[in-house]
Amino acid sequence: MFICVEMPKQFGLGKEQRLKSQKIIEELFNGGKSFSSGSIRVHYLISELYEKTPALQFGAGSSTLNFKKSVDRNKIKRRLREAWRLQKQSLSELLLQQNHRLAVFFIYSGKELPGFKTVFDSTTRAISKLEKIINAAN
C-alpha cells in the first residue's frame, strides 16, 4: 500500500524556484558575482524583488570534463538540489524581509564523485556566506 504524504511547502523546490530562464542565466554568468565553497563554485545575482517573481531561484550543474558519464553528473546535481532544498528556508526569509531577489547557480568542480555529507557541508557554508553578502548589501 502506498501512502502519499504531502511535503510542507517551505521545503519544496517547485517549478518557480528553479532557475530555467535563459535570460536570467546569461545575466547571472555575465553580470553576477561568484565565490567558492569547498568544491562548489557559487554564482549569484542579487536584484530588487518585483511583482510576480520568486525571491529565490536555484540551478545546479557539474562539469563534463570531470565526469564523462551523465549518470554521475545527474547524481551530483540531484545531491546539490537536495542539500539546497533542505537548507534554503533561512535565506528565503532573509530575502523577503529585505525585499531582494536572488538567483544562484552551484557548479560542482571537484574531481571525485562526492558523498551527500560533503555536498551538504559545502552547501551550508555557501548559504551562510550568501546570507552575509545579502546583509552587507542592505
Side-chain angles (χ1 to χ4, degrees):
M1 186 171 155
F2 180 72
I3 299 173
C4 182
V5 177
E6 197 168 312
M7 204 173 8
K9 201 76 159 154
Q10 67 197 26
F11 291 115
L13 188 61
K15 186 191 288 188
E16 70 280 349
Q17 294 175 347
R18 293 182 189 236
L19 189 56
K20 291 189 173 193
S21 167
Q22 191 67 34
K23 181 181 173 185
I24 296 174
I25 292 172
E26 285 178 8
E27 192 178 322
L28 172 67
F29 283 102
N30 293 333
K33 297 179 182 176
S34 64
F35 63 88
S36 289
S37 172
S39 55
I40 296 176
R41 185 95 183 129
V42 179
H43 294 269
Y44 67 95
L45 181 67
I46 300 172
S47 58
E48 291 298 315
L49 183 65
Y50 349 166
E51 220 175 282
K52 294 187 179 180
T53 58
L56 187 59
Q57 287 188 309
F58 174 77
S62 59
S63 173
T64 310
L65 296 174
N66 295 336
F67 301 97
K68 304 293 184 206
K69 296 181 180 178
S70 62
V71 174
D72 294 336
R73 291 192 304 273
N74 291 337
K75 187 179 286 189
I76 291 168
K77 289 187 279 187
R78 275 195 308 272
R79 288 177 179 169
L80 285 169
R81 281 193 302 265
E82 181 66 10
W84 174 263
R85 183 187 71 80
L86 293 173
Q87 301 179 66
K88 70 178 171 71
Q89 186 60 32
S90 62
L91 187 61
S92 181
E93 290 170 359
L94 179 65
L95 288 167
L96 289 173
Q97 286 174 357
Q98 297 187 3
N99 202 30
H100 282 96
R101 183 176 165 272
L102 179 68
V104 183
F105 202 92
F106 282 8
I107 299 175
Y108 183 77
S109 58
K111 304 270 187 219
E112 299 173 0
L113 193 66
F116 182 72
K117 176 99 172 91
T118 307
V119 173
F120 191 85
D121 293 342
S122 294
T123 304
T124 303
R125 287 192 302 273
I127 288 175
S128 65
K129 190 163 183 177
L130 283 169
E131 286 174 347
K132 289 177 187 173
I133 290 168
I134 290 167
N135 282 328
N138 196 13

